[in-house]
Amino acid sequence: MLRSHSKLVLLTPGPTPLHDEAVSALALPMLGHMDAEVLNLNAEIQADLRVMYGAPNAFTALLSGTGSLGMEAGFANLVEAGDDVLVLVNGTFGARMAEMAARYGANVRVVTAPSGEAIDPDDVARHLGRARMVALVHGETSTGVLNPLPDIARIVREKSDALLCVDAVTTVGMGPFDMEGLGIDYAYTGSQKCLSAPPGVAPVAISPRALARFDARRTPTPLWYCDFGGLRDYWEKRSYHHTVPVNLHFALHAALRAALREGLYARAARARDVGFAVLSALQPAGFTPFVPTEAARLPTVLALRLPPGLDDAAVRAELRRRGMSVTGGLGDTAGLIWRLGLMGESARPHLYRPFLATLEDLLGERDLVRRFDAALSLQVAAD
Ligand SMILES: *Cc1c(COP(=O)(O)O)cnc(C)c1O
């Protein structure tokens, strides 16, 4: 057992606290990856993923790896050397997409936006050109920015036949997602973000159009492990490809069922309400939203600029000592911001209230908890 292990509350933008039902499922006795019970459970996962992604006709599956493998599998399978790929980059994960696409031989062009700002759909229209794929991050975890996916998708669908590849790691599962309606061809997430399952599987959804593009490849995909053909062998034909992490499938299945039972609209409301209450508590104490435009704020990652004089490293170290994990900035925002997670089980008042009480103590502030509770009861009254 790790020292002080069981006491740490994760208020981070992933991994998120495990859902109770995922914890129980994780401890179920082991079964073989080709056992009929596991294959039937896989079919339930596939059906639930089609609901979560809003993609009744997509092929859905779990990749054996984290969200980054979901990202990599999209480029490995859907890009061939020399393809023109437009990547929208306004943070760390958009930059990771551009790097991966380049490693699979794509001719990468990028559209950028300044840190803390959303991608401008007009810029996408201007640079679309003859792109074979457009790739973007829906919610940038590194800055707390929500990119205008519906507007971007409309432009891509109306003006090109490019495949649309979307990183949905911070959004899908924590609110309704309309993959089919928006014409998205490939989307992925990681189990440890909005679903609050353990890290290690990446739920993906692949449109019929994307599968047709894959089937028309001139060369085999260079990434054998996540070859879409191999995925179909296991998930559709029920033949062996590789040993899937069966216990992580159990946990993901339980967490996904719990999410759909709660309802995607209810989950979106929960993230919004807790986020609003945290902001209401902290703003009068000098914390300000890092993303200036309200419409561009990601509901699942609250990025806050720290009040002048607050010692980022020291305060977070003390929070850690008192059992709470908070994430700072990344790259050029290190030391300047905190990124508070509101994905899955982290969007809970009973986790944020003690955090605010501790901050009252550490910062010599008053009324953080009082403002938090007042804002929450306002939200509940409005619902
Ligand atoms: C966390 C995250 C990823 C990568 O997931 P890993 O599980 O760390 O591999 C990709 N995109 C976004 C937006 C993320 O937040």
Side-chain angles (χ1 to χ4, degrees):
M1 209 54 177
L2 296 173
R3 204 158 38 92
S4 75
H5 171 258
S6 56
K7 284 205 224 134
L8 197 62
V9 172
L10 300 178
L11 302 174
T12 55
T16 55
L18 292 173
H19 193 282
D20 285 344
E21 291 173 39
V23 175
S24 312
L26 199 55
L28 289 170
M30 185 54 70
L31 287 174
H33 54 291
M34 300 306 296
D35 190 278
E37 258 184 71
V38 171
L39 296 173
N40 292 337
L41 183 106
N42 287 344
E44 290 184 8
I45 291 172
Q46 289 181 291
D48 285 351
L49 289 179
R50 285 192 289 270
V51 174
M52 180 182 83
Y53 277 109
N57 296 297
F59 168 62
T60 50
L62 301 179
L63 307 184
S64 311
T66 65
S68 299
L69 188 65
M71 185 188 287
E72 182 145 9
F75 297 113
N77 284 281
L78 300 174
V79 163
E80 286 191 85
D83 282 359
D84 183 313
V85 173
L86 186 67
V87 185
L88 316 184
V89 179
N90 55 342
T92 308
F93 291 103
R96 182 175 295 186
M97 280 184 140
E99 169 164 7
M100 283 186 186
R103 290 204 191 184
Y104 286 94
N107 223 329
V108 176
R109 295 183 293 120
V110 297
V111 163
T112 61
S115 183
E117 290 180 26
I119 297 286
D120 181 349
D122 291 339
D123 286 342
V124 179
R126 267 194 292 280
H127 293 94
L128 205 46
R130 300 169 64 82
R132 297 260 296 158
M133 177 194 275
V134 174
L136 76 147
V137 176
H138 190 191
E140 246 305 343
T141 323
S142 60
T143 55
V145 167
L146 180 71
N147 281 316
L149 176 60
D151 296 337
I152 293 168
R154 197 173 315 115
I155 287 165
V156 173
R157 283 286 68 86
E158 280 172 8
K159 298 185 184 227
S160 80
D161 64 355
L163 294 180
L164 182 57
C165 167
V166 176
D167 177 314
V169 174
T170 59
T171 52
V172 79
M174 209 56 197
F177 194 86
D178 187 14
M179 176 162 175
E180 196 159 301
L182 294 175
I184 295 165
D185 293 295
Y186 180 70
Y188 60 87
T189 183
S191 48
Q192 82 280 22
K193 301 283 179 96
C194 292
L195 291 173
S196 288
V201 285
V204 301
I206 310 166
S207 76
R209 237 163 62 94
L211 284 176
R213 175 81 66 91
F214 168 77
D215 287 330
R217 283 185 70 98
R218 286 170 273 116
T219 52
T221 168
L223 185 65
W224 181 92
Y225 196 62
C226 292
D227 185 302
F228 285 176
L231 273 185
R232 279 185 294 192
D233 285 345
Y234 180 66
W235 290 85
E236 280 179 350
K237 295 185 199 140
R238 299 187 163 200
S239 63
Y240 169 68
H241 182 257
H242 65 270
T243 305
V244 299
V246 176
N247 49 346
L248 297 183
H249 285 211
F250 294 159
L252 187 283
H253 177 265
L256 179 54
R257 277 280 145 108
L260 296 183
R261 202 185 321 120
E262 180 182 4
L264 296 172
Y265 286 93
R267 288 167 76 78
R270 181 154 63 75
R272 182 201 63 207
D273 291 353
V274 177
F276 172 79
V278 173
L279 182 60
S280 303
L282 290 177
Q283 206 157 14
F287 291 79
T288 52
F290 178 64
V291 180
T293 315
E294 213 173 319
R297 289 181 201 155
L298 177 58
T300 51
V301 180
L302 178 60
L304 293 175
R305 209 180 272 283
L306 303 177
L310 186 147
D311 185 338
D312 170 41
V315 174
R316 282 194 297 119
E318 185 55 25
L319 283 166
R320 174 70 175 75
R321 221 182 50 77
R322 299 191 191 194
M324 285 160 247
S325 177
V326 170
T327 307
L330 250 186
D332 57 3
T333 58
L336 300 179
I337 68 171
W338 283 353
R339 293 174 301 137
L340 300 174
L342 295 159
M343 288 181 265
E345 290 308 295
S346 62
R348 297 283 181 194
H350 74 266
L351 301 188
Y352 272 99
R353 197 174 289 109
F355 161 70
L356 293 168
T358 307
L359 275 187
E360 288 185 354
D361 189 30
L362 296 181
L363 305 181
E365 286 285 336
R366 289 161 55 168
D367 292 335
L368 300 189
V369 174
R370 191 191 57 73
R371 287 196 294 263
F372 178 73
D373 284 332
L376 268 184
S377 58
L378 261 183
Q379 290 296 97
V380 171
D383 275 345

